[in-house]
């Protein structure tokens, strides 16, 4: 893997060695079940879980009891949306979300539509942002949940959560946010933003895979969710199953590290991102930056190269630079990105979209090598492209 370059941090991040170090004792020396009350093995595990929970809560300005552990953000999204739908049906069956959400949200609301939910999918503007006024107009007396992601996984675009939270609080509607890409990368405080339920995941912030969390507001308002996984009553009855102690310890450590390092890291990564974008837009014709440049995570760049097939482009460097085309989760199907489609990109731009996402172990040389590879690849592809020639001659 030595000469490969990883620029796909939004798909997953490597586990930070300091996180692995913190986890190791809990596999063998400290193997207890955190629910065992009768011996020190259980107490030690339970204390480790308490500490992890507190570290995670601290990162998002929450209380420890507001953190419910799940297997990841997908499960947390499911628990939040299905859990609200099941419990609040007496008030109504209307849910509002956004066209550019992650599939973990969209597939869940699509499922609920089959069992009686009515769902409004808000559109976004060319920058990928929703209009809070449109959201407000979409809220009805029977609306039980609004679900808006904090930052988009494909473009890094950050939604105006405080404005959205103000509207939902004023209208008395629960607000849930998939903040998987935002937590640990930018300051995120659900209570301050008026977000009542929030999903996130360890493996997007240098923690281990297979552990995530749902923030569930405990007071003002006290949010209750219908249990989706029964058995044993762990996690305040909201999510049963033996807690994954090493993963929780790692998640906690990852949260503490993110809290301490986020500020400097954001500046450093924005420089790498800017280097990449500036050089590519200088060297290559017909490039566009997808998504708001003002409201965007610092480490993400989604670029479209007109009349270029992204798949063909990454083949020119033998896939030795790891980047994403379309959305990683559905790229097996080679469908154009639903996020970029919602932003109004036409076919000639859609097919040539690539997401570059930098992270903790990215170096300036990674950005430089990437610029060279992309520039060379595009030059080669366009030199042989009849469509490009037609475009240059003004025929299309
Ligand atoms: C990665 C991601 C998910 C899924 O998280 P898992 O922990 O892998 O289940 C959900 N939402 C967003 C925005 C993501 O980026």
């Amino acid at each position: 893997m030595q000469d490969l370059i990883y620029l796909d941090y939004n798909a997953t991040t490597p586990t930070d060695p300091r996180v692995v170090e913190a986890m190791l004792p809990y596999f063998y020396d400290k193997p207890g079940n955190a629910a065992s009350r009768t011996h020190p093995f259980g107490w030690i595990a339970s204390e480790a879980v308490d500490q992890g929970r507190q570290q995670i809560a601290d990162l998002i300005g929450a209380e420890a009891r507001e953190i419910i552990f799940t297997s990841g953000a997908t499960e947390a999204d499911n628990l939040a949306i299905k859990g609200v739908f099941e419990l609040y049906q007496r008030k109504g069956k209307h849910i509002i979300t956004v066209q550019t959400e992650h599939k973990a949200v969209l597939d869940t609301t699509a499922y609920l539509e089959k069992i009686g939910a009515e769902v409004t999918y808000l559109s976004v503007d060319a920058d990928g942002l929703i209009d809070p006024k449109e959201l407000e107009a979409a809220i009805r007396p029977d609306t039980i949940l609004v679900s808006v992601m904090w930052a988009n996984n494909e473009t890094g675009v950050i939604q105006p959560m405080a404005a959205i939270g103000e509207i939902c609080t004023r209208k008395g509607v629960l607000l849930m946010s998939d903040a998987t890409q935002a937590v640990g990368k930018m300051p995120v405080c659900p209570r301050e933003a008026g977000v009542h339920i929030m999903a996130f995941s360890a493996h997007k912030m240098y923690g281990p895979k297979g552990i995530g969390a749902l923030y569930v507001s405990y007071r003002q308002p006290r949010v209750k969710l219908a249990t989706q996984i029964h058995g044993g009553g762990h996690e305040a009855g909201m999510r049963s199953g033996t807690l994954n102690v090493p993963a929780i310890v790692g998640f906690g450590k990852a949260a503490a590290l993110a809290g301490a390092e986020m500020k400097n890291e954001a500046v450093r990564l924005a420089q790498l991102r800017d280097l990449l974008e500036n050089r590519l837009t200088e060297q290559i014709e017909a490039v566009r930056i997808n998504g708001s440049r003002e409201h965007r995570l610092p480490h993400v760049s989604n670029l479209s190269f007109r009349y270029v097939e992204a798949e063909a482009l990454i083949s020119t460097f033998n896939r030795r630079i790891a980047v994403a085309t379309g959305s990683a989760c559905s790229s097996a199907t080679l469908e154009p990105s639903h996020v970029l489609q919602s932003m109004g990109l036409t076919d000639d731009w859609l097919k040539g979209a690539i997401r570059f996402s930098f992270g903790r172990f990215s170096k300036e040389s990674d950005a430089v090598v990437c610029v060279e590879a992309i520039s060379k690849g595009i030059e080669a592809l366009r030199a042989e492209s009849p469509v490009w020639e037609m475009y240059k001659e003004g025929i299309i």
Side-chain angles (χ1 to χ4, degrees):
M1 309 291 277
Q2 283 297 300
D3 53 343
L4 298 183
I5 291 177
Y6 191 72
L7 293 181
D8 205 8
Y9 279 82
N10 278 21
T12 191
T13 57
T15 315
D16 190 297
R18 294 167 290 180
V19 168
V20 177
E21 200 61 40
M23 291 170 68
L24 284 177
Y26 294 92
F27 286 103
Y28 186 74
D29 289 339
K30 302 173 178 177
N33 184 327
S36 298
R37 300 276 157 82
T38 50
H39 50 71
F41 292 96
W43 307 337
I44 289 169
S46 173
E47 273 166 30
V49 166
D50 288 349
Q51 193 198 340
R53 203 187 296 278
Q54 189 61 54
Q55 287 170 313
I56 294 159
D58 287 346
L59 179 65
I60 59 166
E63 296 174 39
R65 63 183 170 188
E66 295 178 309
I67 303 298
I68 305 298
F69 288 115
T70 64
S71 64
T74 302
E75 189 196 324
D77 284 335
N78 272 265
L79 171 58
I81 299 167
K82 292 175 183 169
V84 167
F85 182 70
E86 215 178 290
L87 211 62
Y88 290 76
Q89 285 201 22
R90 238 188 313 161
K91 187 187 170 202
K93 296 187 175 190
H94 182 233
I95 295 171
I96 299 171
T97 186
V98 186
Q99 288 173 359
T100 53
E101 292 290 305
H102 191 272
K103 291 290 180 191
V105 168
L106 293 176
D107 287 355
T108 304
T109 56
Y111 162 73
L112 291 182
E113 280 180 290
K114 282 194 242 161
I115 59 167
E118 260 188 80
V119 183
T120 299
Y121 296 92
L122 299 173
S123 58
V124 297
D125 65 12
D127 278 345
L129 292 161
I130 68 161
D131 179 354
K133 282 196 227 81
E134 254 172 57
L135 165 65
E136 181 159 3
I139 294 176
R140 320 190 307 211
D142 63 339
T143 305
I144 51 171
L145 180 69
V146 171
S147 180
V148 178
M149 74 198 312
W150 207 298
N152 189 272
N153 46 303
E154 291 188 38
T155 57
V157 168
I158 300 164
Q159 297 293 349
M161 291 313 299
I164 295 164
E166 187 276 316
I167 292 166
C168 292
T169 302
R170 181 157 43 80
K171 294 270 188 178
V173 177
L174 286 177
L175 173 60
M176 120 97 186
S177 183
D178 179 340
T180 311
Q181 294 290 347
V183 171
K185 317 292 170 54
M186 61 178 279
V188 165
C189 178
R191 179 160 298 282
E192 212 169 81
V195 170
H196 310 113
I197 315 169
M198 188 179 88
F200 53 111
S201 187
H203 79 96
K204 301 284 175 74
M205 48 181 279
Y206 310 96
K209 293 171 182 59
I211 186 88
L214 190 65
Y215 161 85
V216 183
S217 171
Y218 190 80
R219 55 189 170 87
Q220 295 176 332
R222 173 138 186 203
V223 176
K224 292 196 178 147
L225 300 172
T227 303
Q228 300 303 308
I229 297 185
H230 300 86
H234 306 74
E235 299 299 274
M238 276 189 250
R239 201 278 191 176
S240 286
T242 301
L243 289 174
N244 185 344
V245 178
I248 290 168
V249 168
F251 195 0
K253 180 71 180 177
L257 292 172
E261 297 174 7
M262 176 194 311
K263 208 169 158 200
N264 292 336
E265 193 58 0
V267 175
R268 188 182 77 85
L269 295 179
Q271 283 166 354
L272 297 188
R273 191 262 322 264
D274 291 346
L275 184 154
L276 177 97
E277 286 187 347
N278 292 340
R279 291 204 188 167
L280 284 177
T281 46
E282 275 163 25
Q283 292 178 17
I284 301 170
E285 260 183 277
V287 185
R288 56 167 277 166
I289 296 171
N290 297 318
S292 165
R293 299 187 69 174
E294 196 184 334
H295 305 285
R296 190 166 54 144
L297 291 171
H299 61 282
V300 187
S301 176
N302 191 308
L303 301 178
S304 277
F305 307 98
R306 202 173 184 188
Y307 298 120
V308 167
E309 299 265 352
E311 279 296 320
L313 178 57
I314 62 176
S315 295
T316 63
F317 44 84
N318 293 325
R319 299 178 187 262
R320 301 196 76 74
I321 301 169
V323 292
T325 64
S327 78
C329 309
S330 50
S331 60
T333 57
L334 280 183
E335 274 171 25
S337 147
H338 71 284
V339 173
L340 300 179
Q341 271 178 319
S342 299
M343 290 161 60
L345 263 74
T346 46
D347 239 29
D348 48 328
W349 289 107
L350 266 178
K351 288 180 181 154
I354 292 190
R355 178 187 72 192
F356 305 86
S357 44
F358 294 92
R360 191 171 286 167
F361 307 102
S362 300
K363 307 182 293 284
E364 187 174 310
S365 61
D366 296 339
V368 171
V369 171
C370 181
V371 166
E372 281 163 16
I374 295 276
S375 294
K376 235 172 83 183
I378 289 193
E379 204 176 313
L381 290 175
R382 281 181 176 167
E384 290 176 6
S385 160
V387 185
W388 180 250
E389 201 177 310
M390 274 154 67
Y391 168 71
K392 289 293 281 180
E393 286 168 3
I395 298 168
I396 51 171

